[in-house]
């Protein structure tokens, strides 16, 4: 005969098993996949916003008459530094989100985190390049400002296509389907649409 204490322990164990995240993940969940997609799209969009705002700020700096070149250089290095910080946060957020519960979810997760880790490396290098822009050589200054600004735009375009780039994995279609379904469809779908929209300028 099972004691009351034994029955209680058994009930607790059963409850833990039924609510275990690991067991819940086995069957797959569009809500969980949607959350993952929202995390990725939101993280990547944050970096894109910094890059776009940075190039807008650069245009403003260049339109100021007799603006000291040092101000332009500081604007560029600040944008790169902020983007690197945001990318580091993105690495952590996407890592913490875990892998999406789809076919080849592990590979999708590795690719997504890898994209953000590469972005950290690229933005850190661009920050160093921006800080090194010469102020005493007008031609070199103009060339480097243009190159760094164009690098920001290229990184933004790459991010815009980074979700679509995951289509090499079997579970990509499930991720796309989850973005357009569920209770939070408007928020997640809007976030991913913003990520994938490439500005003309």
């Amino acid at each position: 005969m099972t004691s009351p204490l034994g029955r209680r322990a058994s009930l607790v164990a059963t409850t833990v098993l039924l609510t275990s995240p690991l067991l819940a993940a086995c069957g797959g969940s569009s809500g969980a996949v949607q959350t993952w997609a929202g995390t990725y799209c939101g993280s990547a969009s944050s970096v894109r916003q910094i890059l776009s705002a940075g190039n807008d700020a650069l245009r403003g700096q260049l339109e100021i008459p007799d603006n000291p070149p040092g101000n332009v250089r500081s604007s560029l290095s600040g944008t790169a530094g902020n983007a690197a910080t945001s990318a580091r946060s993105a690495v952590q957020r996407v890592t913490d989100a875990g892998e999406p519960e789809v076919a080849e979810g592990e590979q999708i997760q590795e690719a997504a985190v890898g994209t953000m880790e590469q972005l950290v490396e690229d933005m850190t290098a661009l920050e160093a390049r921006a800080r090194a822009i010469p102020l005493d050589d007008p031609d070199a200054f103009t060339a480097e400002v243009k190159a760094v600004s164009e690098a920001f735009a290229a990184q933004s375009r790459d991010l815009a296509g980074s979700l679509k780039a995951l289509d090499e994995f079997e579970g990509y279609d499930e991720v796309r389907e989850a973005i357009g379904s569920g209770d939070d469809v408007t928020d997640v779908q809007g976030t991913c649409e913003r990520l994938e929209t490439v500005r003309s300028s």
Side-chain angles (χ1 to χ4, degrees):
M1 181 175 179
T2 306
S3 68
L5 182 59
R7 286 195 298 272
R8 180 177 298 174
S10 177
L11 178 61
V12 170
T14 300
T15 302
V16 169
L17 285 173
L18 288 176
T19 58
S20 168
L22 293 177
L23 285 186
C26 291
S29 165
S30 63
V33 179
Q34 188 185 66
T35 298
W36 182 91
T39 298
Y40 180 79
C41 291
S43 299
S45 292
S46 294
V47 183
R48 287 198 74 209
Q49 288 171 0
I50 290 171
L51 295 175
S52 294
N55 268 343
D56 288 343
L58 173 63
R59 281 190 287 271
Q61 288 281 349
L62 293 174
E63 289 172 358
I64 299 173
D66 300 321
N67 191 28
N71 291 348
V72 175
R73 184 172 67 179
S74 294
S75 179
L76 284 172
S77 62
T79 294
N82 290 338
T85 298
S86 183
R88 290 187 192 95
S89 176
V91 169
Q92 191 62 56
R93 289 179 62 192
V94 177
T95 299
D96 290 347
E99 64 187 63
E101 298 157 10
V102 298
E104 295 189 322
E106 182 178 356
Q107 291 91 326
I108 288 175
Q109 172 74 344
E110 288 176 354
V113 172
T115 294
M116 293 305 169
E117 289 176 336
Q118 183 62 52
L119 189 61
V120 172
E121 185 176 327
D122 292 344
M123 287 298 105
T124 301
L126 275 175
E127 181 181 15
R129 182 174 181 176
R131 288 182 183 278
I133 292 175
L135 302 181
D136 55 356
D137 184 336
D139 290 338
F141 173 83
T142 299
E144 279 297 279
V145 167
K146 183 174 184 289
V148 173
S149 175
E150 288 177 345
F152 289 165
Q155 290 286 353
S156 182
R157 287 192 297 271
D158 288 346
L159 279 172
S162 62
L163 186 62
K164 180 66 171 64
L166 299 175
D167 66 357
E168 66 178 287
F169 301 108
E170 186 179 347
Y172 172 77
D173 288 342
E174 296 175 70
V175 173
R176 294 299 321 191
E177 183 178 352
I179 289 172
S181 64
D183 295 336
D184 297 325
V185 58
T186 302
D187 290 342
V188 175
Q189 196 167 35
T191 298
C192 291
E193 286 175 355
R194 283 194 296 275
L195 169 63
E196 295 175 315
T197 301
V198 179
R199 283 178 40 165
S200 58
S201 58

